[in-house]
Amino acid sequence: MLVSALGEEALIDQLRRLFAVTAPGVPTSIGDDAAVIDTISGHQMVWTTDMLLEGVHFLKTWQTPRQLGRKSLAVNLSDIAAMGAVPRYALLSIACTLRTQVDYLLEFCQGFCDLAGETGVAVIGGDTSASSDGLVVSVSAGGQVLTGKALSRSGARPGDSVLVTGYLGSAAGGLRQLQDGIDSGRYPGLQQAFIAPMPAVAEARLALESGANAMTDISDGLASDLKHICLASCVGASISRELMPVHPELAAAAAQLGWDLDAMVMAGGEDYGLLFTIGANEAPAAVAAIQSATGTPVAVIGEITAAAGISVIDEQGRQSPMPASGFDHFLKYG
Ligand code: ADP
Ligand code: MG
């Protein structure tokens, strides 16, 4: 059945039942003009929003609607986690053409609902509209953090170690694989990294508890996201190419297909791991705590410097400036 046959009200009615909120602290959710949530004393709220547009962020042929629904929430929860906050609420707005199948939307929402359930997030509302061209998804997410404990990008100090969770460039490899029409079974880990990123919620809480000074999620690529931390903290960084964690499938794909591995590792976006800095003495315990509790690899890739600018030390020990790259929606790659 097409959405044009079902109608907005009947669709929202189905979503209201799918997203039925049982969590405490939400007396009113889907069905009224606005959601009501209880405030929690001693905590601050963090809020974020991210859009996913067909033709810009995804093609419908790249993944199942269920996977797309999960990813739409995941990228938002990643921002909440990167603040050191616990994700609690989400709002889901969808615009689709009249030719959209109801089943496609319901599968999308089921994926969104699955990840919400796994992460303890209540879907408290949203908006539904017709679109003249393609599917548009806009998600807002809220989380809570103890007052004054949110981890910003601005707390990095000279001498801090620079750490990343997960692998760098895997999602860029997965995207390239899709764009080039390479069989998805050839590098399944890369495909998974792009299509089904998991927000590093537990990893972020452990980084916070270990004493991290600054944190962000790696959504635009290491070069951009480390620059964000350095500029916000008025510091620089020196990082080593050989310390950067590369998924074995990415190394293999680059060697076999002639991809520019360094560009993908340093500038590839959408990995949604964490990038954080922590006092050098605290770094080993942070690595151990995160790896043992979550199984996610954690790597120390360099250190924060008092001098501005980011330098990269290559495998031969030569130092060069970090290439100015990363994803910019209006500049494309540049
Ligand atoms: P309004 O006319 O006030 O914008 P709507 O008819 O758009 O109200 O929405 C009715 C209720 O359904 C609201 O509580 C809204 O938050 C919720 N809602 C609408 N669309 C969605 C959606 N895509 N996902 C979750 N909740 C939604
Ligand atoms: Mg509305």
Side-chain angles (χ1 to χ4, degrees), residues 287-314:
V287 171
I290 297 172
Q291 285 188 164
S292 66
T294 66
T296 303
V298 185
V300 175
I301 61 165
E303 63 168 5
I304 295 293
T305 58
I310 301 172
S311 56
V312 182
I313 300 165
D314 70 14

Side-chain angles (χ1 to χ4, degrees), residues 8 126-128:
E8 180 190 340
D127 199 23
T128 306

